[in-house]
Amino acid sequence: MIKLTQLITCLLLLISPLFAQQRTGRVFEDQNANNQFEQNEKQLAGIVVSDGYDVVKTDNTGTYTLPHNPSARFLFVTIPSGYKATKTHYIPLLAEQKNLDFALTKDAVQQTDFLRFIQITDTETPLYGPWIDNVRNYAQQQKASLIMHTGDICYEPGMLFHAKQVNSELMGRPTYYTVGNHDLVKGEYGEKLFEDLFGPTYYSFDAGPAHFVVTPMPNGDYKPSYTADQIIAWLKKDLATMDRSKPLIFINHDFFAGPDFILEGEKEQIDLMQFNLKAWFYGHWHNNFVFKQKGVYVVCSNAPNKGGIDNSTAQFVVVDIDKQGIKDIKPIYTNLRDHIQLVHPTADQQINTLETLPILVSAYDSERKIQKVAVEISAHETGKRLANVQLSPSGDWLWQAKVPFGKQKGQYDALITIHYENGEQALKRQSFNLAGHAESTMKLQWSAAVNGNIWKTSPLIVGDKLFVATMDDGIGINHSIIALDKRTGKTLWSLPTINSIKHKLRYSDGILLATDVETNVYAIDANTGKILWTKKPSNPSLPTFVSGPALDNGIYYAGLGKRMSAIDIHTGKVLWEGVDPSGGEATPAELSVVDQTLLAGYNWNALCAYDIQTGKLLWKRQEDGLRFRSGGVTAKDGYLYTTGLNGIFKLNLKTGEIAQKSIKTDDFKVMASPKIVEDLLVMPTSTNGIKAYDPQTLEEKWHFSTGEALVYTSPYSSPDQHKLVGTVESSVTEVQGKLFFGASDGYVYMLNKQGKLLSKFNLGAPIFSEITVDGDFIYIADFAGNVSCFKF
């Protein structure tokens, strides 16, 4: 008997250290949300728990057991659909930590077969801005289940600020973070501060019908302690537990899987396509770029609080997911509340022979979804109501209708009522005057809303046609090339494109040419809209192509770096392809051909000159801020005029040598090129409207300020600094001795050469593209997708 007792004691002594080497806890439904387990609360079986190395499920009592791994710094739970963490989805493995229970509460917002979530990214700020309220209020108004920040919270100040101000408690929705390159900071190891503030750098959770996996940036400003092999090894175990009928949504700060969606380390690799991958969300590039490959949406977004590096619009992304995968992707532009503008009829509208009155309203809100827009028209003097009509949506800003009206001269009031889905309303009253002869200098002839946004694609006039192209930074259903009748705005034909066309169209010999953001080239019969030939890359890749292509003597130049090519427009034959340098960011600067030289910019890299016959690099300049290539060049008398970060430059066309420069306090990170008008060099700015300089001395002659931008596009421009952001992305156009341009405040401006305002017109939406002149008419395309014709 004594021997048996001694044997049992020995066995217990051997087993006890094994138990000590395990981590045990439970996952339970925290019914009163006090983060403490109580006897009447349900313990949840089959829930995945991990320490970043091993992955286990809770047993039928809701209990899990993990082996003790000395390298593990966290335990985290894969929150099941329909739940959210009472406190956090992770537990730091501190020496004093004894309670390893995960408390979950039911999430009334989630649905089994549908999920809405919000992506924000690259906020990089310690400042409180309106975007935070926009995201929070949108999430609550539109029932978004969670908020995902895809990295670059940015250095110690930004990370500390976000941890305090942009968290699950204050945002009212579970708010998750992933590691960006600027979130790897100085410390014991690169991700130490991130872990202290936000928890583990890789983890998973279920929400609605989908399984989410979050992984960190492979490298950054400081070296992380994790490795690709470590993450992939964990990922294999995590995905082995998932229900493969669920869509897999992958979250990282950058896209690096390649066309086959295979993640590779030194020893480990995994094919994500084997796990029903439906989308990869990321940031890093400060671009708005969505493409689809192998049935997978690859979604990059710019920051919600500032303009993008390629002048992309500040935004956050709203994503709808169902059981099949991605149902909708929608960009939401920040800092707009109750934005309402009657675009047509205008304040002084000349009536024609039409018996219907076109109504066009620009309306937008960053937080609330507009359900309907109604306009009531009444006589100004008597108040008698003459019409009351509901408008139909066209794109994400515009609402339109036609009202039977007849030729009724006089002054009228339009009462615009915005009905939001949450039951709130907004009202705005504007007056207009119908007259047989309009007295204004700029007389609106017609407005036509095309279904999609218009970025830098200026109206192109050929004969009796007007060509324009649209873009869609969301799900990708509203991008096309459209032909309108230039006299009436009536659509003649429309051709859907593979992806968004963001810059200029070109034309020669009956052929219309365009290049989309994936570098797909289209040659189109301008009369019929039929495709003559196309050139497609093997697969989409970064950086995007948002530059303006060039056309010279039947040769079309498009693309950048390895994707730049010269193409014969009649045959589609590639004459040369691929040039140096490679690298850099996408740039909205326009390519141009001057004296057998092709000029191209690479943002954060250089301004380059190439031989148009061979593609050989002739010279490049990147000093003194010239490597910041937002805008294009203007040539005159063997010299190039251009801007850099905050300087104006005069370069020798043949050698690239800087003949003259003037470093300013102005910010020139806009898409515009300088305009030379007699003794003026006119240049738009990021924050201060338009400035004119002496082309000989480069000294300032006058300055014209515009209003606050409706949306933010110029790189890093932001309302958070509480300073005027008077951005002008459109180059200046001269018409009969007058200077015309559109601005980000929604106005079209006409100035004299002394910089004095002669006239302005409010289109109610930002204008990024140049004004097109055709005889006595000018044509303008705005970001909302409205094309307007004015008689001058």
Side-chain angles (χ1 to χ4, degrees):
M1 187 67 177
I2 295 174
K3 291 184 178 180
L4 179 61
T5 303
Q6 290 174 338
L7 178 61
I8 292 172
T9 301
C10 291
L11 288 173
L12 288 174
L13 289 173
L14 290 171
I15 293 171
S16 294
L18 294 177
F19 277 109
Q21 294 299 308
Q22 293 178 329
R23 290 176 171 133
T24 300
R26 60 195 150 203
V27 182
F28 66 95
E29 185 178 319
D30 189 9
Q31 294 177 359
N32 58 5
N34 67 351
N35 204 44
Q36 294 180 359
F37 176 71
E38 295 166 349
Q39 290 302 316
N40 63 332
E41 290 181 324
K42 178 183 177 182
Q43 294 179 230
L44 302 175
I47 307 302
V48 174
V49 179
S50 177
D51 61 358
Y53 297 88
D54 291 293
V55 175
V56 298
K57 286 186 177 182
T58 57
D59 61 20
N60 57 8
T61 69
T63 301
Y64 69 88
T65 300
L66 277 163
H68 183 278
N69 187 326
S71 298
R73 296 194 285 264
F74 293 92
L75 297 180
F76 49 91
V77 59
T78 298
I79 299 174
S81 295
Y83 286 88
K84 59 184 178 181
T86 300
K87 190 176 180 182
T88 64
H89 66 281
Y90 60 90
I91 298 172
L93 291 174
L94 306 174
E96 66 274 12
Q97 184 68 44
K98 298 186 183 301
N99 183 357
L100 301 181
D101 292 349
F102 287 98
L104 307 180
T105 57
K106 285 286 186 70
D107 186 355
V109 178
Q110 280 192 51
Q111 302 174 39
T112 304
D113 57 355
F114 176 80
L115 179 82
R116 174 169 291 159
F117 80 93
I118 293 173
Q119 180 202 12
I120 56 176
T121 193
D122 294 271
T123 45
E124 299 180 338
T125 182
L127 301 176
Y128 198 100
W131 65 273
I132 299 176
D133 297 321
N134 293 159
V135 172
R136 179 197 300 109
N137 294 336
Y138 190 98
Q140 294 175 4
Q141 295 277 355
Q142 312 303 327
K143 293 182 170 54
S145 294
L146 61 98
I147 298 164
M148 172 56 67
H149 193 304
T150 52
D152 270 8
I153 320 156
C154 217
Y155 307 128
E156 291 86 343
M159 295 167 75
L160 291 167
F161 169 79
H162 282 69
K164 291 180 179 178
Q165 298 290 346
V166 192
N167 54 48
S168 298
E169 182 179 3
L170 293 179
M171 298 304 285
R173 292 288 184 268
T175 301
Y176 297 94
Y177 284 86
T178 190
V179 174
N181 50 295
H182 295 317
D183 304 326
L184 294 167
V185 297
K186 187 176 182 180
E188 184 180 341
Y189 46 87
E191 73 271 29
K192 178 66 167 63
L193 180 60
F194 180 95
E195 289 184 342
D196 291 344
L197 297 173
F198 306 107
T201 59
Y202 56 92
Y203 53 94
S204 67
F205 59 89
D206 285 352
H211 182 68
F212 287 76
V213 169
V214 178
T215 61
M217 189 73 167
N219 48 59
D221 296 343
Y222 287 84
K223 186 177 180 180
S225 67
Y226 51 76
T227 65
D229 282 341
Q230 174 188 332
I231 295 167
I232 295 171
W234 164 80
L235 185 57
K236 287 179 177 179
K237 297 175 182 178
D238 176 87
L239 295 183
T241 69
M242 76 170 281
D243 178 352
R244 295 202 190 185
S245 68
K246 288 189 170 188
L248 172 61
I249 309 298
F250 208 87
I251 307 290
N252 195 284
H253 182 59
D254 196 9
F255 177 62
F256 49 78
D260 296 323
F261 296 101
I262 295 175
L263 297 183
E264 295 182 339
E266 291 185 5
K267 299 178 181 178
E268 300 276 2
Q269 72 172 35
I270 187 169
D271 182 357
L272 296 179
M273 292 301 295
Q274 301 300 313
F275 299 92
N276 201 22
L277 180 68
K278 293 298 182 182
W280 182 306
F281 289 87
Y282 66 108
H284 184 57
W285 293 78
H286 296 233
N287 290 180
N288 297 330
F289 180 36
V290 179
F291 66 88
K292 197 172 184 181
Q293 187 166 290
K294 284 193 164 185
V296 178
Y297 282 96
V298 182
V299 182
C300 182
S301 179
N302 180 35
N305 61 329
K306 55 184 172 289
I309 288 174
D310 70 342
N311 297 63
S312 286
T313 312
Q315 64 175 42
F316 58 92
V317 173
V318 179
V319 184
D320 290 347
I321 299 174
D322 60 18
K323 291 182 177 180
Q324 283 69 50
I326 300 297
K327 183 178 181 181
D328 196 17
I329 303 168
K330 185 177 181 62
I332 302 295
Y333 314 116
T334 50
N335 206 38
L336 289 165
R337 184 172 180 85
D338 289 333
H339 173 69
I340 308 168
Q341 176 64 37
L342 179 67
V343 178
H344 192 284
T346 63
D348 191 11
Q349 176 68 50
Q350 185 175 0
I351 60 173
N352 298 312
T353 57
L354 297 176
E355 293 186 357
T356 58
L357 182 67
I359 305 291
L360 187 64
V361 170
S362 176
Y364 198 88
D365 195 276
S366 300
E367 299 173 3
R368 297 165 294 174
K369 186 175 181 180
I370 297 174
Q371 185 179 60
K372 63 180 180 179
V373 176
V375 175
E376 178 183 294
I377 298 175
S378 58
H380 181 73
E381 291 186 2
T382 65
K384 180 182 178 181
R385 189 172 74 176
L386 303 174
N388 191 3
V389 62
Q390 282 197 29
L391 280 61
S392 299
S394 177
D396 53 8
W397 290 62
L398 292 173
W399 297 74
Q400 59 182 341
K402 289 187 177 181
V403 180
F405 215 70
K407 298 181 185 179
Q408 300 184 42
K409 298 179 183 179
Q411 189 170 358
Y412 298 92
D413 294 326
L415 178 64
I416 306 166
T417 305
I418 308 296
H419 299 264
Y420 295 104
E421 276 195 348
N422 65 357
E424 295 178 352
Q425 295 184 7
L427 303 174
K428 185 173 184 178
R429 187 181 299 275
Q430 290 184 251
S431 297
F432 61 92
N433 184 52
L434 296 184
H437 177 71
E439 297 299 330
S440 62
T441 308
M442 295 171 57
K443 305 167 189 175
L444 181 64
Q445 303 298 296
W446 54 260
S447 291
V450 295
N451 198 21
N453 299 108
I454 299 174
W455 199 56
K456 197 64 176 169
T457 312
S458 305
L460 174 63
I461 303 293
V462 179
D464 59 357
K465 293 182 178 64
L466 179 154
F467 301 101
V468 73
T470 58
M471 52 156 278
D472 181 353
D473 278 333
I475 194 70
I477 59 175
N478 291 323
H479 39 65
S480 58
I481 301 169
I482 304 160
L484 305 176
D485 186 313
K486 75 173 185 181
R487 296 161 298 188
T488 64
K490 179 183 178 182
T491 299
L492 302 175
W493 55 257
S494 179
L495 176 69
T497 53
I498 297 171
N499 211 321
S500 296
I501 293 173
K502 292 194 172 183
H503 219 302
K504 290 186 176 178
L505 305 173
R506 299 296 184 186
Y507 172 87
S508 179
D509 296 337
I511 302 172
L512 185 68
L513 297 128
T515 306
D516 69 19
V517 293
E518 295 182 23
T519 328
N520 296 297
V521 179
Y522 308 82
I524 304 158
D525 184 311
N527 189 48
T528 65
K530 302 296 184 183
I531 292 179
L532 301 174
W533 55 262
T534 59
K535 175 182 176 292
K536 299 180 180 180
S538 56
N539 54 74
S541 68
L542 292 158
T544 59
F545 182 69
V546 294
S547 305
L551 177 63
D552 183 69
N553 290 325
I555 308 300
Y556 183 69
Y557 303 90
L560 290 173
K562 294 179 180 178
R563 296 196 175 205
M564 181 181 284
S565 58
I567 308 171
D568 186 304
I569 68 169
H570 297 99
T571 64
K573 180 182 178 181
V574 176
L575 304 179
W576 53 258
E577 187 170 24
V579 297
D580 291 325
S582 60
E585 278 263 21
T587 173
E590 187 176 335
L591 279 67
S592 55
V593 175
V594 182
D595 293 339
Q596 303 296 299
T597 303
L598 175 66
L599 287 308
Y602 299 78
N603 210 348
W604 287 23
N605 192 327
L607 172 65
C608 298
Y610 301 94
D611 185 309
I612 63 170
Q613 302 296 328
T614 63
K616 178 184 177 182
L617 179 66
L618 301 175
W619 54 259
K620 70 176 182 178
R621 284 290 172 268
Q622 52 191 180
E623 65 269 33
D624 296 325
L626 277 168
R627 71 189 188 98
F628 295 95
R629 303 309 314 149
S630 290
V633 301
T634 298
K636 185 177 181 181
D637 300 331
Y639 289 96
L640 301 175
Y641 293 84
T642 191
T643 57
L645 178 63
N646 57 355
I648 300 175
F649 298 85
K650 182 179 179 181
L651 308 178
N652 185 293
L653 172 63
K654 297 299 181 184
T655 65
E657 294 297 322
I658 299 175
Q660 195 173 357
K661 67 180 179 181
S662 179
I663 304 302
K664 307 291 184 182
T665 58
D666 299 308
D667 188 336
F668 296 114
K669 297 193 297 291
V670 291
M671 296 185 270
S673 300
K675 175 70 176 181
I676 298 177
V677 183
E678 298 175 0
D679 61 344
L680 296 176
L681 187 152
V682 188
M683 185 63 205
T685 71
S686 299
T687 58
N688 294 311
I690 295 283
K691 290 201 171 185
Y693 303 89
D694 186 316
Q696 302 302 319
T697 65
L698 303 184
E699 293 302 312
E700 184 178 321
K701 299 187 72 170
W702 54 256
H703 170 212
F704 178 81
S705 292
T706 56
E708 181 76 12
L710 293 172
V711 299
Y712 299 90
T713 53
S714 175
Y716 298 96
S717 62
S718 170
D720 297 359
Q721 299 284 350
H722 303 290
K723 297 178 181 179
L724 175 67
V725 183
T727 306
V728 178
E729 299 279 17
S730 162
S731 299
V732 171
T733 300
E734 182 186 9
V735 184
Q736 299 179 18
K738 306 297 189 296
L739 305 179
F740 286 81
F741 63 92
S744 293
D745 62 3
Y747 281 88
V748 180
Y749 291 94
M750 180 174 69
L751 312 180
N752 64 19
K753 291 182 182 177
Q754 290 73 47
K756 303 299 181 182
L757 178 66
L758 300 177
S759 182
K760 64 179 181 178
F761 187 93
N762 191 354
L763 288 174
I767 305 157
F768 306 138
S769 62
E770 279 69 53
I771 290 171
T772 300
V773 183
D774 184 52
D776 293 333
F777 296 91
I778 60 174
Y779 298 87
I780 302 160
D782 63 45
F783 182 61
N786 185 43
V787 182
S788 301
C789 172
F790 291 86
K791 188 173 184 181
F792 173 71

